[in-house]
Amino acid sequence: GAVVSQHPSRVICKSGTSVKIECRSLDFQATTMFWYRQFPKKSLMLMATSNEGSKATYEQGVEKDKFLINHASLTLSTLTVTSAHPEDSSFYICSASGEHNEQFFGPGTRLTVL
Amino acid sequence: GQNIDQPTEMTATEGAIVQINCTYQTSGFNGLFWYQQHAGEAPTFLSYNVLDGLEEKGRFSSFLSRSKGYSYLLLKELQMKDSASYLCCYYNQGGKLIFGQGTELSVKP
């Protein structure tokens, strides 16, 4: 199956700093990637759809200036959490679509904001 | 609107069979997926149903009835490693995956 990687896997930062998370499709090209966040014992909530070469599409309630998404190539999308606060602490997961529409998920990034 | 429902948690015994149900309501539907997620890890793909009926893949099978808005995931010969959260989700007309809350399955010896 397709492989999606994420970096870093864990990050701890101080309140007010910005954190960048990378999502890469390792063995296939992904024109569309998705960013989710997941709180403990909760399901995945779609944050935005990342489109290669164009602006991301954000879900209702997600601040685009807070969560900056860049999809500069067919294998890389980045999510930057700007001016992070403790309430931004969460598990962030990216995914990319396969040829049969199944989504392959990255291993996730655990963000802790102190 | 979009609504998807599955039990919060289930418990089963090693070697047994367990069925996890999922019901959904949506104005647009483009297929239903089941994913497995172990704690602290990303979801892994289990199955995809777009037509009515049963899809079998080893110990795991998934069933879909579009007219009833119903699916189930059947796990046979349960193993301890099957303890995980099982996520039911469907593709809506906008091409987005809509997730259920997940069913936490505990397999006991």
Side-chain angles (χ1 to χ4, degrees):
Chain A
V3 178
V4 176
S5 71
Q6 267 183 255
H7 177 81
S9 57
R10 288 179 181 271
V11 58
I12 300 173
C13 69
K14 292 181 179 180
S15 186
T17 60
S18 294
V19 175
K20 180 186 283 189
I21 303 170
E22 294 185 348
C23 177
R24 293 181 187 273
S25 55
L26 296 186
D27 51 1
F28 67 106
Q29 294 182 329
T31 54
T32 302
M33 291 183 174
F34 302 88
W35 286 97
Y36 297 84
R37 66 186 298 181
Q38 186 177 33
F39 292 104
K41 296 193 181 294
K42 298 291 184 183
S43 193
L44 281 75
M45 296 297 295
L46 179 65
M47 298 175 66
T49 303
S50 171
N51 303 297
E52 188 268 334
S54 64
K55 291 183 179 180
T57 304
Y58 290 81
E59 294 302 299
Q60 192 172 11
V62 178
E63 300 175 58
K64 61 180 180 181
D65 296 329
K66 170 78 172 173
F67 299 99
L68 300 177
I69 291 173
N70 184 277
H71 194 153
S73 77
L74 288 171
T75 59
L76 173 65
S77 175
T78 61
L79 168 68
T80 301
V81 183
T82 62
S83 186
H85 291 285
E87 58 265 30
D88 297 325
S89 298
S90 189
F91 192 48
Y92 291 88
I93 307 175
C94 71
S95 71
S97 293
E99 58 180 289
H100 300 298
N101 281 335
E102 71 274 40
Q103 286 194 19
F104 296 99
F105 288 87
T109 297
R110 175 77 58 193
L111 171 64
T112 303
V113 184
L114 302 176
Chain B
Q2 300 171 144
N3 190 26
I4 186 165
D5 192 40
Q6 53 183 127
T8 306
E9 51 189 23
M10 298 181 72
T11 302
T13 305
E14 191 175 17
I17 299 173
V18 71
Q19 178 175 311
I20 303 174
N21 297 322
C22 172
T23 58
Y24 64 90
Q25 293 177 315
T26 179
S27 54
F29 177 80
N30 285 315
L32 188 131
F33 295 85
W34 284 94
Y35 283 86
Q36 180 192 60
Q37 186 179 25
H38 285 99
E41 299 179 11
T44 54
F45 170 75
L46 290 179
S47 68
Y48 174 50
N49 294 69
V50 64
L51 300 176
D52 291 350
L54 187 67
E55 294 278 343
E56 297 185 76
K57 191 186 295 184
R59 293 190 300 115
F60 293 6
S61 302
S62 58
F63 171 83
L64 175 67
S65 169
R66 288 172 296 171
S67 62
K68 295 181 180 178
Y70 168 67
S71 173
Y72 67 73
L73 179 69
L74 193 70
L75 293 80
K76 303 175 185 175
E77 301 169 20
L78 279 173
Q79 302 174 9
M80 298 300 290
K81 67 177 182 180
D82 296 330
S83 292
S85 183
Y86 291 85
L87 307 174
C88 170
C89 55
Y90 66 82
Y91 256 127
N92 69 3
Q93 284 185 321
K96 299 173 185 175
L97 269 185
I98 307 300
F99 282 87
Q101 64 186 12
T103 297
E104 193 70 37
L105 174 66
S106 298
V107 180
K108 301 195 180 303

